[in-house]
Amino acid sequence: GGPCARWPLGTLTANLLASGLLAALAGLCEYDVFGEVAADGNGAWYAEATLKGVGLGFCGCLSTVSTWINEVNTLLSPRPSAEAAA
């Protein structure tokens, strides 16, 4: 038992990790870490696009899948019957 026994700590950890990583990737893109993207198409647009793709794809998948797995486990876990509670 304990006060945190019913908290989905795995889901919370996965969502915090995904959010933190996405924030870091957004910061890298925002502050032109890879150089300024030129209007004529030259520059580091491909690095920024890759980071955005990784950020949205990986981080979105990490947070969504962790929540889905937790909810499936909750739905499939045995529940105490009404007779056992009485």
Side-chain angles (χ1 to χ4, degrees), residues 10-84:
T11 301
L12 178 65
T13 302
N15 287 334
L16 289 174
L17 177 66
S19 298
L21 185 57
L22 187 56
L25 291 173
L28 290 174
C29 291
E30 180 67 25
Y31 292 105
D32 295 326
V33 171
F34 301 102
E36 188 172 336
V37 179
D40 63 359
N42 296 324
W45 65 268
Y46 50 86
E48 185 175 346
T50 301
L51 280 178
K52 286 181 179 179
V54 168
L56 294 174
F58 177 76
C59 296
C61 181
L62 177 63
S63 63
T64 302
V65 170
S66 67
T67 302
W68 177 72
I69 288 173
N70 183 50
E71 290 179 0
V72 167
N73 282 334
T74 300
L75 289 172
L76 296 178
S77 66
R79 295 187 178 115
S81 65
E83 295 173 5

